[in-house]
Amino acid sequence: MDDTQDLQNVQIELAMLAETVFRKYGYDFRDYSEAHLRRRIKHAMQKLNAPSISALQHEILYDKACFDLVLKELSINVTEMFRDPSFYRLLREEIIPTLKTYPFVKIWHAGCASGEEVYSMAILLKEEGLYDKAQIYATDFNARVLQQAKEAIFPIELIKEYTANYIAAGGRQDFSDYYTAAYDSIILSKSLRERIVFSDHNLATDTVFGEMHMVICRNVMIYFNQELQDRVVKLFADSLCYRGILCLGSKESLKFNANAALFEAISETEKVYKKTGRQ
Amino acid sequence: MHSSYQAIVVGTSAGGFNASQALLSGLAADLNAAVIVVQHLPKQANDSMISLLNEVSQLPVKEAEEKEPIRPGIVYLCPPDYHLLIEADRTFALSADPKVNYSRPSIDVLFESAAEVYRARLVGVVLTGANADGSAGLKIIKQYGGLAIVQDPGDAAYPEMPQAALDAVEVDTILPLAKIAGKLNSLIVATGKDHE
């Protein structure tokens, strides 16, 4: 058995599947992290009983329902409200006071998934008196999760964790002020949704859509390969005003990024950067 | 002739800090393989653990970073609250995917991903722990021709995890913790020196 060749064959099959998805359906996973694709495609193969990646590729090409399932598998994204409380504490204490000096603030949550972190931001802005002069754009390429995000309904069993995160993030009220519980779910208050615009945007294929004061993109780029990460960081730089803020996930960094020079770290620990380079 | 091993993946949970300390302190300074450790830890788990492990290990110990190239002779710890994956180009990828076996990081996720890349050149080690994470991953390591080593459950602070691995997989070696580092040293030194 030639190990190197077996691995190469998997790589070729994955690339061809991604090419098929792109040409046929327009979703671009060609520059996703290969390790990530390998794992997700393997799951899809198990669910659809496909004997090989190539067999799955064939099914995707001829069967839209099969593609829909694979797309769902490729876009699972889990997060939580106030994930990494220390990050939200830093926003509250150091970033928002600066943002308050602007007459109006535009914030972009890129890859917002089901919206937990967007609503965390809305709560933070409210408590810090910035909400009424802010506009939040929350985007994702997946229409299904965007719809979920819009609905602002979350399973009740997560509330304990969210509440603990909220308190650790320096929350000023009772977390229960922000939601209504019904059966096994909670729905967030309508006022939290007022200043959020949800829309479809694909970081792999779409471009700048406005000038932002802050971009939040946490644990999204870890799913991309280096080339796509480089492009997306450039897209964020192009979207941000001078001294605009870029927030990444706590284990993401600009360390290996080709466009790192456009940013300066505000906090290396929390991965908060400001744009200092001018193009 | 056995192919040389390029990486060692280690999974441990409850009791894992002491076990990792014991294992790493026994690894040879010239070990010619990457050592990648997944330990179930609370989210806040920190740099202090890395510095404590650095005190006892002859090999440098660091947290695995996203997109970082994997090098022999270095011990990488999986960051808390992320799964760790291995790219075909031998760099790390992190994933915020749902928990597997109620865990993130999950040992199974790393073992499977590493097996797909390193294939027969991988050693999987399951140490003390109070759940069954790691068994499925160890099985996949075996399927790809890698080597499976499990801590003797009778010797483990928490026997459930090594026992679950033994129940699920036909392992190559069962050893008390104190002998695992020596075994790894001899495996890597014996076959690894003349390869990349």
Side-chain angles (χ1 to χ4, degrees), chain A:
Chain A
M1 178 172 74
D2 187 335
D3 275 357
T4 324
Q5 217 164 35
D6 286 348
L7 179 58
Q8 266 172 10
N9 288 349
V10 170
Q11 293 183 274
I12 292 168
E13 285 187 285
L14 279 176
M16 288 174 69
L17 184 145
E19 189 66 37
T20 301
V21 166
F22 178 64
R23 288 212 202 172
K24 177 83 182 187
Y25 301 102
Y27 288 93
D28 196 352
F29 295 101
R30 294 174 301 172
D31 285 325
Y32 269 52
S33 139
E34 209 182 70
H36 167 69
L37 278 183
R38 228 167 51 217
R39 179 159 186 267
R40 295 285 176 87
I41 292 301
K42 200 166 176 183
H43 283 180
M45 281 165 61
Q46 282 159 359
K47 281 190 184 160
L48 290 160
N49 259 324
S52 68
I53 301 172
S54 299
L56 182 65
Q57 180 197 334
H58 187 270
E59 284 189 53
I60 287 171
L61 183 58
Y62 289 96
D63 183 358
K64 170 77 163 51
C66 168
F67 167 69
D68 288 339
L69 198 142
V70 172
L71 181 66
K72 196 174 156 193
E73 199 61 50
L74 285 171
S75 44
I76 297 167
N77 231 330
V78 290
T79 182
E80 57 199 59
M81 289 191 77
F82 294 98
R83 177 175 183 161
D84 306 318
S86 54
F87 162 71
Y88 286 94
R89 193 176 271 277
L90 178 86
L91 283 187
R92 194 187 283 275
E93 288 164 4
E94 286 178 44
I95 307 300
I96 291 182
T98 314
L99 292 178
K100 275 172 124 170
T101 62
Y102 294 108
F104 192 79
V105 174
K106 291 202 264 184
I107 298 170
W108 177 19
H109 271 264
C112 69
S114 36
E116 290 85 343
E117 298 197 47
V118 184
Y119 292 116
S120 308
M121 178 65 69
I123 290 172
L124 197 62
L125 296 176
K126 252 184 190 274
E127 293 186 358
E128 299 307 315
L130 187 58
Y131 189 61
D132 291 329
K133 50 176 198 162
Q135 178 69 61
I136 303 174
Y137 301 91
T139 64
D140 204 280
F141 75 87
N142 186 303
R144 195 179 50 86
V145 298
L146 263 186
Q147 186 52 40
Q148 237 177 300
K150 265 184 221 171
E151 287 165 4
I153 296 170
F154 301 102
I156 205 159
E157 70 260 22
L158 299 174
I159 282 303
K160 205 172 147 194
E161 189 183 8
Y162 291 178
T163 306
N165 283 354
Y166 169 75
I167 292 166
R172 297 190 197 280
Q173 303 202 33
D174 273 340
F175 189 57
S176 59
D177 294 349
Y178 295 109
Y179 64 83
T180 313
Y183 305 104
D184 51 359
S185 304
I186 60 122
I187 181 159
L188 294 174
S189 356
K190 200 155 182 271
S191 69
L192 291 176
R193 287 172 272 164
E194 274 164 5
R195 308 207 66 86
I196 305 174
V197 175
F198 290 96
S199 65
D200 177 58
H201 183 279
N202 190 330
L203 288 169
T205 44
D206 293 334
T207 54
V208 177
F209 66 90
E211 189 179 62
M212 301 292 152
H213 298 91
M214 178 155 74
V215 172
I216 294 112
C217 185
R218 306 184 74 225
N219 300 316
V220 175
M221 285 200 292
I222 50 175
Y223 295 105
F224 299 166
N225 71 13
Q226 190 64 60
E227 291 71 39
L228 184 53
Q229 285 191 2
D230 293 347
R231 278 200 334 258
V232 170
V233 168
K234 179 69 166 56
L235 169 64
F236 292 154
D238 291 343
S239 304
L240 283 165
C241 64
Y242 182 61
R243 295 189 165 279
I245 308 291
L246 174 63
C247 306
L248 305 178
S250 59
K251 296 297 173 190
E252 294 176 298
S253 87
L254 296 177
K255 193 168 167 183
F256 301 104
N257 199 284
N259 296 307
L262 299 172
F263 293 89
E264 204 176 275
I266 294 176
S267 166
E268 246 338 318
T269 335
E270 302 300 339
K271 312 299 181 206
V272 176
Y273 302 87
K274 73 175 167 219
K275 178 182 150 187
T276 49
R278 298 168 193 270
Q279 288 97 26

